[in-house]
Amino acid sequence: MEKILVTAPEYDKAAAFFETLEDFQCVRVPEQETELAAAIRREQARYVIIGVVKYTGPLYDALTAGGVIARFGVGHDGVDKKQAARRGIRCTNTPGVLDSSVAECAAGMLLLAARHFADTVADNRRGVWAPRIGTELAGKTLAIVGCGHIGSRLAAIAKNGFGMTICGFDITAPRDESCYDRFSMDFAEAVRGAQFLSLHIPDLPATRDFLNAEKLAALAPGAWVINTARGTVVDEDALYDAAASGRIGGAVLDVFRQEPYRPAPSGKDLRTLPNVLMTPHIGSSTAEACRRMAEAAVANIRHARDGRDDAMTIVS
Ligand code: 8YV
């Protein structure tokens, strides 16, 4: 039976699915690039399912023309599409299947920012009973940066569920404007008066360090930043300065420039700030989304095997 190599973290997120395929044998392999490349050569594999790690060279050398690099997820910034194309390798992703999971994660982070859940849960574990006063979300303003599928799903949850006012920012108009109270292509205008900002933009050359010192300065004093998109869209040193000085209320972050998180070369360590709450890139980590990402990644590979490139979700 033909093999699909699946990087270990992704295999473990949907093992029950990968173990029961009848037309492919899925093999759990290391995600580190040279080890992954060695596994591809050893198994003479044409198909590989990968996570968010950045792959720069050996992966593309190891696969042969006609092979598929299938992302288990939507963002494909870790894949060098040009190198792959030069070698006749197709790259795919799984859009649409994780929107609710990531949007729900961001919604939970809004509550985390507003209601001291992290501190009060930690207090209770230490036997400390210390109620704290939080902030009601109803009537507050949430700025959504990136009004695609995930941003718009969060907009609907926050507007219809929490009763927040939603302002959207993007470089093109949102497909569905009904969940936005206002929309602007001007950042300062979009975030005016917002107590919360949630990022939903991809990692592109144009979005690196998007949320920099200048844009942080445009936020209302005490505003909170939520990031479930990509670490690279935030200038982590500037965010550290804004949170450490109390200029912003704080940040709840699920994604980082380096994962697992490592402080920037400046040594400014976000983990040391009490108003910065961090989770280990779990936005899409629900059983439901993981199963759907696995199914969609395998579907892309099946289409490639069957010569149905038209049905593949190819990224370039
Ligand atoms: C990861 C993500 O793909 O879809 C994305 O872009 O960042 C995540 O869903 C997933 O966690 C990899 O296992």
Side-chain angles (χ1 to χ4, degrees):
M1 208 186 301
E2 180 143 30
K3 290 178 179 164
I4 299 176
L5 306 194
V6 186
T7 49
E10 285 60 51
Y11 190 98
D12 295 344
K13 287 180 180 181
F17 172 76
F18 289 126
E19 278 157 19
T20 51
L21 294 190
E22 289 179 357
D23 52 347
F24 283 107
Q25 182 192 349
C26 294
V27 182
R28 185 180 183 276
V29 292
E31 66 174 350
Q32 195 275 331
E33 187 164 11
T34 49
E35 292 177 49
L36 175 59
I40 291 170
R41 291 206 167 87
R42 188 174 60 246
E43 302 285 355
Q44 297 187 335
R46 290 194 295 164
Y47 305 128
V48 57
I49 294 179
I50 60 162
V52 284
V53 169
K54 199 167 185 61
Y55 292 108
T56 56
L59 170 62
Y60 314 95
D61 295 335
L63 283 166
T64 50
V68 176
I69 297 173
R71 269 281 290 116
F72 179 105
V74 66
H76 46 88
D77 41 285
V79 184
D80 186 333
K81 277 81 63 183
K82 288 207 177 82
Q83 276 204 66
R86 275 201 297 278
R87 289 167 171 75
I89 300 160
R90 284 150 300 166
C91 306
T92 63
N93 72 344
T94 65
V97 300
L98 43 76
D99 303 346
S100 288
S101 286
V102 180
E104 287 173 15
C105 178
M109 290 174 155
L110 285 172
L111 290 166
L112 207 55
R115 299 299 298 272
H116 303 292
F117 286 134
D119 288 334
T120 48
V121 168
D123 283 347
N124 269 292
R125 284 214 191 284
R126 291 184 291 118
V128 176
W129 185 263
R132 301 176 194 223
I133 302 294
T135 303
E136 196 170 74
L137 293 178
K140 299 295 187 310
T141 298
L142 167 64
I144 300 218
V145 172
C147 303
H149 292 285
I150 297 173
S152 297
R153 181 83 194 107
L154 174 64
I157 294 171
K159 183 177 168 66
N160 304 323
F162 299 149
M164 299 183 83
T165 297
I166 314 296
C167 46
F169 165 86
D170 212 326
I171 51 168
T172 53
R175 212 174 316 175
D176 173 13
E177 291 196 17
S178 65
C179 44
Y180 298 92
D181 294 287
R182 41 177 236 261
F183 174 82
S184 176
M185 294 189 198
D186 179 76
F187 181 82
E189 166 63 27
V191 302
R192 187 159 302 136
Q195 291 89 0
F196 299 89
L197 172 145
S198 190
L199 292 158
H200 299 283
I201 49 178
D203 173 0
L204 298 169
T207 59
R208 301 266 156 81
D209 285 328
F210 173 87
L211 192 62
N212 55 17
E214 190 195 335
K215 290 203 182 69
L216 284 161
L219 300 186
W224 277 78
V225 171
I226 313 287
N227 190 9
T228 53
R230 280 293 182 269
T232 47
V233 305
V234 173
D235 177 340
E236 288 181 348
D237 279 345
L239 182 68
Y240 178 99
D241 292 340
S245 66
R247 240 286 300 150
I248 62 168
V252 191
L253 309 171
D254 186 48
V255 287
F256 307 92
R257 298 185 90 89
Q258 299 277 343
E259 294 181 6
Y261 175 76
R262 284 206 307 272
S266 63
K268 291 177 177 173
D269 189 340
L270 289 163
R271 293 169 300 190
T272 62
L273 300 179
N275 55 347
V276 176
L277 308 171
M278 297 158 63
T279 51
H281 200 147
I282 53 165
S284 68
S285 292
T286 61
E288 294 83 355
C290 287
R291 169 96 189 190
R292 290 190 297 254
M293 288 189 282
E295 285 170 353
V298 169
N300 273 319
I301 291 170
R302 283 200 182 107
H303 292 317
R305 175 199 61 192
D306 299 342
R308 295 232 25 233
D309 290 25
D310 58 313
M312 295 169 75
T313 330
I314 292 181
V315 291
S316 54

